[in-house]
Amino acid sequence: MPIGESTPPTLDDRFENLLISPERVMHMLGRKRAGEVTFDQSEQGDARRKLLNVERIAIENKRLQEKTEASYIEMVNHQLHELLLAEMTAYLSQTNDVYSQLLNLPENMGALLDALSVRAASISKLEPIAATMPWLYDELIALVNTPRFRRKDSRGRIIVVETLRTALSFLGIENLRLIIPWVVIKRAIPQITDPYPLIKQKLMPYSMGVALTAKHIGELAGLHKSEAYTLGMLSNLGRCAVTRLYFKLFDKVQLHLLQECQKEKEQKRHEALLKITPSANHLIALQQEFADKVSADVIEHMQFTRLRLNEPIQTCAMNAPAAPNSLGKVLNQARIYTQIRMLHQLKLVELHEVKPLIAEQKYPAGALEKLKSIDIFTLPLTKHEEKH
């Protein structure tokens, strides 16, 4: 949508672009980076104004040629993304493949999260499920041996934790309720997002921010805080899946078209394809179309028996109004708050712009005051000395 001076970009537009590159938001807001000058202010601009008429004509001809070439490249780019969209739509309909191959998650992860959610959760019930996931063992061992959780024996020597049971015991149930959903998202976050390396760096703080905000709002709304936290974290699985799949399919479709051009000896099209790179605008559009629907499908696939996450994420996926004091409402509130906070950190949103959005969300009494004092981008893990 064209953005005029009188129509600033929406919070949603800014946030989606922030996840790719803050510079994109700066450009949308018409801001310049420090030290940047406009063309008219530069020496080059001054020299351009002094060009002879014949040179201006040559430049105009070159501009028209470049415009024609750009139009052709854009046409080829459109064809590439049409093929990509068809493949993505087909792939995302196969939830089993999305869950196990694209996100690389184990089938019994739902059972582990269920076991963690009950009041009587115990290490003895968690260990057999966790033991089937070698990658989870590696994550927990690495974490429990950091200085934050390190313990010493009676002689003052550092205890090196090597077994899963000890790691689970040293971390404790309350910490594990925060850690396990976090490592699920950590595993799902895409690692290859060139030429937009910031995507993978922004997805984790956003997921954590939504989860921790949902936890605090959920508690104030009289809901199960662990349930709200887990929903907040897992609600971003669809975003991870769409991002992973986009970059994977882009390479695949581009290679296929290049091979087709070589076979048909289409040199012009081949050269155009080589100039095309992954598109931030297409990725944003695909996120808006698919991300929440995929999250809903993946959460349903996890077959929770205790965590009541299906209904709220379905409400979100259908963009339906959520009931007050429901998990669906808490998720919406947490997302809006986290997006505002991330944009505010980089001064990409003004207070007068967010006041109506915050008022519209109708946060529980005291929620905003409490959230202001909390670091929502760091897991509040605590060291304890009791074994479970």
Side-chain angles (χ1 to χ4, degrees), residues 53-103:
N53 187 53
V54 65
E55 290 176 295
R56 286 203 300 271
I57 292 170
I59 288 168
E60 176 63 12
N61 288 340
K62 184 180 179 184
R63 187 188 70 79
L64 290 172
Q65 182 183 344
E66 288 173 348
K67 187 176 179 181
T68 303
E69 182 186 353
S71 297
Y72 180 74
I73 292 172
E74 187 55 39
M75 181 191 73
V76 176
N77 188 22
H78 178 70
Q79 292 171 348
L80 185 154
H81 279 92
E82 273 194 329
L83 290 172
L84 187 152
L85 174 61
E87 288 214 26
M88 178 171 278
T89 303
Y91 190 98
L92 292 178
S93 68
Q94 306 297 317
T95 306
N96 285 344
D97 291 344
V98 172
Y99 184 85
S100 60
Q101 295 178 25
L102 188 63
L103 295 175

Side-chain angles (χ1 to χ4, degrees), residues 216-286:
H216 290 290
I217 296 174
E219 189 173 13
L220 288 171
L223 301 171
H224 193 308
K225 64 180 181 180
S226 182
E227 206 165 42
Y229 170 84
T230 305
L231 173 64
M233 196 71 83
L234 300 189
S235 69
N236 284 298
L237 283 172
R239 192 178 281 275
C240 292
V242 171
T243 306
R244 274 185 177 236
L245 189 57
Y246 174 74
F247 288 98
K248 181 179 178 180
L249 288 181
F250 183 92
D251 289 343
K252 177 187 172 185
V253 173
Q254 187 180 46
L255 179 61
H256 167 73
L257 291 176
L258 285 168
Q259 290 170 340
E260 193 177 77
C261 288
Q262 286 179 320
K263 186 178 178 182
E264 302 295 329
K265 295 184 169 54
E266 294 180 282
Q267 185 177 350
K268 183 181 178 183
R269 190 165 172 238
H270 190 276
E271 289 173 357
L273 280 164
L274 289 174
K275 293 177 181 177
I276 295 171
T277 58
S279 161
N281 291 334
H282 280 91
L283 176 57
I284 289 171
L286 291 166

Side-chain angles (χ1 to χ4, degrees), residues 79-323:
Q79 292 171 348
L80 185 154
H81 279 92
E82 273 194 329
L83 290 172
L84 187 152
L85 174 61
E87 288 214 26
M88 178 171 278
T89 303
Y91 190 98
L92 292 178
S93 68
Q94 306 297 317
T95 306
N96 285 344
D97 291 344
V98 172
Y99 184 85
S100 60
Q101 295 178 25
L102 188 63
L103 295 175
N104 202 18
L105 296 174
E107 287 297 327
N108 55 349
M109 180 51 74
L112 180 59
L113 291 169
D114 264 338
L116 262 174
S117 70
V118 299
R119 186 171 295 179
S122 65
I123 299 303
S124 60
K125 290 178 181 176
L126 298 176
E127 186 188 11
I129 310 173
T132 66
M133 309 173 193
W135 61 272
L136 180 59
Y137 166 83
D138 293 339
E139 288 279 359
L140 297 179
I141 290 295
L143 180 61
V144 79
N145 282 304
T146 59
R148 187 174 190 176
F149 291 100
R150 194 173 289 158
R151 299 191 189 187
K152 296 180 180 180
D153 63 16
S154 57
R155 296 184 179 181
R157 294 175 300 191
I158 292 171
I159 300 172
V160 178
V161 178
E162 296 179 336
T163 69
L164 179 61
R165 174 171 280 270
T166 304
L168 293 169
S169 298
F170 277 21
L171 291 169
I173 294 295
E174 286 306 313
N175 282 332
L176 289 169
R177 284 177 175 146
L178 297 172
I179 292 167
I180 303 299
W182 170 72
V183 296
V184 171
I185 286 292
K186 185 181 176 186
R187 186 168 178 81
I189 281 178
Q191 295 305 306
I192 300 172
T193 59
D194 296 333
Y196 308 110
L198 284 182
I199 293 176
K200 54 182 176 285
Q201 296 173 28
K202 295 286 184 185
L203 272 177
M204 181 52 86
Y206 176 57
S207 301
M208 204 179 299
V210 173
L212 289 172
T213 301
K215 176 176 178 282
H216 290 290
I217 296 174
E219 189 173 13
L220 288 171
L223 301 171
H224 193 308
K225 64 180 181 180
S226 182
E227 206 165 42
Y229 170 84
T230 305
L231 173 64
M233 196 71 83
L234 300 189
S235 69
N236 284 298
L237 283 172
R239 192 178 281 275
C240 292
V242 171
T243 306
R244 274 185 177 236
L245 189 57
Y246 174 74
F247 288 98
K248 181 179 178 180
L249 288 181
F250 183 92
D251 289 343
K252 177 187 172 185
V253 173
Q254 187 180 46
L255 179 61
H256 167 73
L257 291 176
L258 285 168
Q259 290 170 340
E260 193 177 77
C261 288
Q262 286 179 320
K263 186 178 178 182
E264 302 295 329
K265 295 184 169 54
E266 294 180 282
Q267 185 177 350
K268 183 181 178 183
R269 190 165 172 238
H270 190 276
E271 289 173 357
L273 280 164
L274 289 174
K275 293 177 181 177
I276 295 171
T277 58
S279 161
N281 291 334
H282 280 91
L283 176 57
I284 289 171
L286 291 166
Q287 291 287 6
Q288 292 171 334
E289 175 66 24
F290 292 112
D292 284 337
K293 295 174 187 174
V294 174
S295 290
D297 289 343
V298 167
I299 286 174
E300 184 179 6
H301 181 83
M302 296 176 89
Q303 297 183 315
F304 292 114
T305 57
R306 296 184 179 276
L307 286 165
R308 297 160 296 179
L309 308 186
N310 284 358
E311 184 180 340
I313 195 64
Q314 286 288 354
T315 301
C316 185
M318 293 185 293
N319 203 24

